[in-house]
């Protein structure tokens, strides 16, 4: 009645559509999860401190290291 190749092709196409639909649903759910996660984080928390403060401290530390390396390169003892 039906050709075997047509049955296999139809079954493969149906399987592909089902897998694509499941992946699309998973993608949308993951995006919604990330959206909620971002909404939940409404700024720096008290226990974490400010990210800008940490960046400034790190920048000052890097500047101090550069000064020390330049002094070593020019032969000056600190």
């Amino acid at each position: 009645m039906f050709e075997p190749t047509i049955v296999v092709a139809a079954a493969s196409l149906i399987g592909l559509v089902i897998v694509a639909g499941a992946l699309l649903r998973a993608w949308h759910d993951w995006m919604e999860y990330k959206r909620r996660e971002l909404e939940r984080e409404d700024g720096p928390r008290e226990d974490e401190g400010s990210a800008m403060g940490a960046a400034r401290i790190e920048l000052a530390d890097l500047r101090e290291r550069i000064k020390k390396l330049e002094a070593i390169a020019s032969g000056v003892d600190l």
Side-chain angles (χ1 to χ4, degrees):
M1 182 164 188
F2 292 109
E3 289 281 330
T5 54
I6 293 176
V7 172
V8 169
S12 298
L13 184 60
I14 290 171
L16 182 63
V17 168
I18 290 172
V19 168
L23 288 173
L24 185 62
R25 175 66 188 235
W27 174 257
H28 283 287
D29 288 346
W30 183 79
M31 291 297 288
E32 182 63 29
Y33 170 74
K34 287 296 183 181
R35 188 174 293 116
R36 284 189 205 143
E37 190 176 86
L38 288 173
E39 288 173 357
R40 197 173 48 220
E41 295 177 7
D42 54 352
R45 297 181 186 149
E46 293 176 12
D47 59 341
E48 291 179 359
S50 174
M52 285 296 291
R56 288 181 182 171
I57 291 171
E58 188 173 343
L59 189 58
D61 184 45
L62 289 174
R63 285 182 179 150
E64 184 179 335
R65 287 182 182 182
I66 289 172
K67 285 181 183 178
K68 287 181 181 179
L69 288 173
E70 287 174 344
I72 291 171
S74 66
V76 176
D77 275 336
L78 294 178

